[in-house]
Amino acid sequence: EQAKEETMVEPQHIEALPRPSACVLRCEPFTAATEAAQAVLFDDDSARGAIAGDKLQALLHGLPAAAAGAAFCLGRAALPMGAAATEDASVPFSVSFVLQNDGAVAWPTSAALVHIAGDDFGFPMLELGPLGAGEAAQLVMDLTVRSRNVRHGLVARSAWALLDTANGEIFGPVLTVEVVGFSP
């Protein structure tokens, strides 16, 4: 029998393909959708901005591993508890922000903003589609908080992620909205 000749193949450097990416350029204060909501909605803008350190680790705990990159809080809504609020009031408000494709490739046609944790506040998903490298888009999320889901002194955090719905890949920061109850 003839001996098989073994050949060694040198590993080749394979460059990773560029992935979609995103960042929040700007975020506006919350806008109450009705006069009644305006009377009870307080926008605590001190929570708005990039989330880092222990708060980031706590937020990402329990989320899909692919979401373990960056996070941005779009803001915190504070709602009065007790006599100023009815047990089952709805408080509709809008969150407006600008997302930029800060990557080297366009977002896929199947890009969407998808709810991934907490109460979706009536906003489960928004199809986005492609956005070219360097381009930006203003998004508006119309949310409704039910007062029965808000507890005095406790922060309820909900999260959304940019997702390629064709392959399930998360890209860009996790986006959060916080709601807390307080005594007026």
Side-chain angles (χ1 to χ4, degrees):
E1 286 182 34
Q2 199 175 26
K4 290 185 180 178
E5 187 177 312
E6 289 186 33
T7 59
M8 295 294 288
V9 177
E10 291 292 321
Q12 296 182 0
H13 178 70
I14 300 174
E15 247 182 75
L17 295 175
R19 296 184 55 216
S21 182
C23 68
V24 177
L25 283 183
R26 183 177 66 249
C27 186
E28 304 297 326
F30 294 158
T31 304
T34 64
E35 266 187 51
Q38 187 172 356
V40 298
L41 177 72
F42 298 93
D43 181 7
D44 176 3
D45 67 351
S46 68
R48 191 170 288 114
I51 301 172
D54 292 341
K55 189 174 177 183
L56 175 63
Q57 294 312 310
L59 167 70
L60 297 177
H61 180 73
L63 294 181
F72 189 93
C73 181
L74 299 171
R76 178 182 296 142
L79 301 173
M81 300 284 93
T86 62
E87 182 58 32
D88 193 25
S90 293
V91 180
F93 64 99
S94 295
V95 180
S96 178
F97 57 101
V98 176
L99 279 179
Q100 180 181 33
N101 177 343
D102 64 348
V105 297
W107 292 356
T109 57
S110 53
L113 182 62
V114 179
H115 174 257
I116 59 170
D119 187 336
D120 72 6
F121 302 133
F123 191 91
M125 183 176 127
L126 173 64
E127 292 180 7
L128 300 173
L131 189 65
E135 293 181 343
Q138 181 156 1
L139 303 181
V140 177
M141 297 171 63
D142 293 323
L143 308 176
T144 300
V145 174
R146 310 266 321 163
S147 60
R148 70 172 176 231
N149 296 337
V150 179
R151 300 290 173 251
H152 178 19
L154 298 178
V155 175
R157 186 174 293 115
S158 295
W160 292 262
L162 293 166
L163 177 78
D164 180 345
T165 59
N167 65 16
E169 182 179 306
I170 292 175
F171 62 95
V174 171
L175 304 173
T176 68
V177 171
E178 299 176 350
V179 177
V180 64
F182 72 95
S183 295

